[in-house]
Amino acid sequence: MKAMILAAGRGERMMPLTEYTPKPLLQVNGKPLLEYHIIRLKNAGFSDIVINHCYLGEQIEAYFGDGSRWHVNISWSPESKALETAGGIRQALDLLGDQPFLVVNGDIWTDYPFHSLPASEFVDSLKHQQTLAHLILINNPIQNSAGDFGLIANKVTNHAKSMWTFSGIALYHPAFIKSCQPLIPQSLTPMLREAATLGLLTGEVYSGEWRDIGTPERLSTLEQDLKNQSDLCGKRF
């Protein structure tokens, strides 16, 4: 299974850190954010990774190259203008192939077990187009307290007694994305809501580590938390 990392955002909320540095190259403990994703995906068995970029994207390509340093194969999908989430995936479809694929937002931090997805029960329904996407949902963070979707018997709904936040991690069938017009900026959100109405989305709730690190404050908090964990490990061992 191939994976795609969405890394084309301008990082407006990260200003002034992103004035001369693209958001995926902002560092946590001396390592770019995007590098953590690549390593986690590689360790989970994803060797073919597609990455899109736009703002200062040449810096990202120059740093990661073809991915051989991390023992993965990176294919690049540059955008002359930001195509948003659905539009960015649509442009990269030729690189992703005709089988279900994984997409991960580049501005999150998570320990989600990516290795569990290729063998999950939900992949078969995607392959047969009984469903079009499988979403990973999480407990609602402070910045999205109302949530995005409900979940009833593994089916994603737009309304439910308990609501969850979309994590930015999902499996998609290419047919779902092909409905987008090429080279037109388009968000995934309205597409996902329509598919949920039609009963074409499955989902699961993940209660492990997940953070939206889209602001300087959240980036700083993450770095400090990781340093504290490192200090604890050092004292323990």
Side-chain angles (χ1 to χ4, degrees):
M1 179 179 286
K2 293 186 177 182
M4 180 174 185
I5 304 173
L6 298 178
R10 181 175 172 83
E12 295 283 359
R13 294 181 301 161
M14 277 290 193
M15 287 291 186
L17 300 181
T18 50
E19 185 173 2
Y20 302 108
T21 302
K23 183 166 60 174
L25 289 186
L26 293 179
Q27 295 197 356
V28 176
N29 283 359
K31 186 181 298 182
L33 293 169
L34 187 57
E35 187 170 350
Y36 287 97
H37 276 314
I38 292 171
I39 291 171
R40 287 190 176 111
L41 289 170
K42 184 263 180 184
N43 290 341
F46 291 86
S47 57
D48 292 309
I49 301 174
V50 177
I51 304 174
N52 69 337
H53 65 71
C54 185
Y55 175 67
L56 301 177
E58 66 280 357
Q59 293 185 32
I60 306 173
E61 273 203 51
Y63 184 92
F64 291 101
D66 62 3
S68 57
R69 183 152 48 117
W70 294 270
H71 306 289
V72 296
N73 175 48
I74 295 178
S75 298
W76 296 98
S77 181
E79 300 172 10
S80 57
K81 64 178 179 178
L83 296 173
E84 301 188 37
T85 46
I89 301 170
R90 177 65 179 85
Q91 176 162 294
L93 271 187
D94 288 345
L95 300 172
L96 291 164
D98 58 3
Q99 295 298 311
F101 52 84
L102 169 68
V103 173
V104 182
N105 281 3
D107 58 357
I108 63 171
W109 177 274
T110 183
D111 62 358
Y112 181 82
F114 293 114
H115 67 271
S116 67
L117 286 173
S120 74
E121 61 186 286
F122 304 105
V123 173
D124 281 341
S125 64
L126 283 171
K127 286 181 176 179
H128 293 94
Q129 295 188 48
Q130 296 166 331
T131 57
L132 292 177
H134 177 70
L135 310 187
I136 311 303
L137 307 175
I138 51 124
N139 294 314
N140 299 326
I142 294 174
Q143 65 268 23
N144 193 46
S145 59
D148 301 313
F149 297 102
L151 192 62
I152 301 175
N154 293 328
K155 281 294 183 76
V156 173
T157 65
N158 288 311
H159 304 285
K161 184 176 181 180
S162 296
M163 297 292 285
W164 311 89
T165 291
F166 176 41
S167 68
I169 304 169
L171 298 175
Y172 298 101
H173 190 283
F176 179 56
I177 304 298
K178 281 181 180 177
S179 62
C180 298
Q181 291 294 318
L183 302 178
I184 301 296
Q186 185 171 346
S187 169
L188 275 168
T189 302
M191 297 174 60
L192 291 173
R193 294 209 175 280
E194 181 180 359
T197 299
L198 297 173
L200 295 174
L201 302 183
T202 57
E204 63 185 84
V205 175
Y206 180 63
S207 58
E209 177 77 7
W210 183 94
R211 307 188 194 197
D212 172 353
I213 46 176
T215 68
E217 294 75 19
R218 293 176 200 160
L219 182 69
S220 178
T221 298
L222 173 63
E223 177 145 19
Q224 188 58 55
D225 288 348
L226 292 179
K227 285 181 179 178
N228 291 341
Q229 291 175 17
S230 178
D231 290 342
L232 285 173
C233 289
K235 291 176 182 178
R236 186 178 304 153
F237 297 105

